[in-house]
Amino acid sequence: MMSFNFVVLLPFIAAMFYGLGYVLLEKVMGVNINPATFLTINTFSGLIIIACLILFGGQRVELLPATHNIPVMVMLFVAAAAPSLGWVFTVYSIRHSSALYTALAETSYPLFTVAFGFFIFGIKKLDLITFGGGLLVLIGAAIMIYGQSAGQSNE
């Protein structure tokens, strides 16, 4: 009998929270929330989540392993800062288009994951099926961007 591994649901649960965040962000854009304000609130909410992970999850903040290796420390900093920079572009995109358009366009991120993995780390785990799936995502994103552009020019 095959058992179900809950871990396979985690990316979908994360996507659920991203979707909720995008829709709520679109609603508050009318209040004139700028990226700096959003990132400040995001940081405070992150601190609350960190406190919960420490208090209730038994996790510790362990900075020492990262500080012993400069390349690891730099990669960790960039890995932590990159999503915040992504949020800046997300806020602008939602403000000037919609949460739906932004979320659909961001489905192209797996292509960038593969590209960065290949160019930075030399990861070459790209088979025909993965390439075909990525190509479909890229074609879908291109069609959506074209449709969004055509829709805006008709207004």
Side-chain angles (χ1 to χ4, degrees):
M1 180 177 192
M2 193 165 84
S3 65
F4 181 74
N5 187 353
F6 180 74
V7 174
V8 299
L9 293 180
L10 294 179
F12 297 100
I13 294 169
M16 176 188 71
F17 282 112
Y18 289 132
L20 176 63
Y22 284 16
V23 170
L24 293 175
L25 193 55
E26 182 176 19
K27 286 294 181 191
V28 299
M29 281 294 128
V31 187
N32 256 346
I33 300 294
N34 62 37
T37 303
F38 174 76
L39 287 176
T40 302
I41 294 168
N42 189 26
T43 299
F44 286 139
S45 65
L47 290 173
I48 293 169
I49 293 169
I50 291 167
C52 290
L53 288 172
I54 292 169
L55 293 173
F56 306 116
Q59 295 188 18
R60 297 184 330 223
V61 177
E62 299 171 354
L63 297 177
L64 208 52
T67 59
H68 281 65
N69 187 332
I70 298 298
V72 169
M73 188 170 65
V74 170
M75 283 190 288
L76 186 59
F77 179 79
V78 172
S84 293
L85 189 57
W87 271 114
V88 170
F89 290 104
T90 297
V91 169
Y92 278 119
S93 178
I94 290 173
R95 177 181 279 171
H96 297 290
S97 60
S98 71
L100 178 62
Y101 170 77
T102 302
L104 289 174
E106 287 183 354
T107 60
S108 63
Y109 87 87
L111 298 174
F112 295 103
T113 304
V114 169
F116 289 135
F118 178 78
F119 289 116
I120 295 173
F121 299 110
I123 298 170
K124 297 179 175 105
K125 295 180 183 177
L126 187 63
D127 58 12
L128 189 59
I129 292 174
T130 305
F131 179 77
L135 188 60
L136 285 174
V137 169
L138 183 61
I139 291 169
I143 290 169
M144 186 196 58
I145 290 169
Y146 173 77
Q148 181 77 8
S149 298
Q152 286 180 350
S153 66
N154 290 338
E155 291 177 2

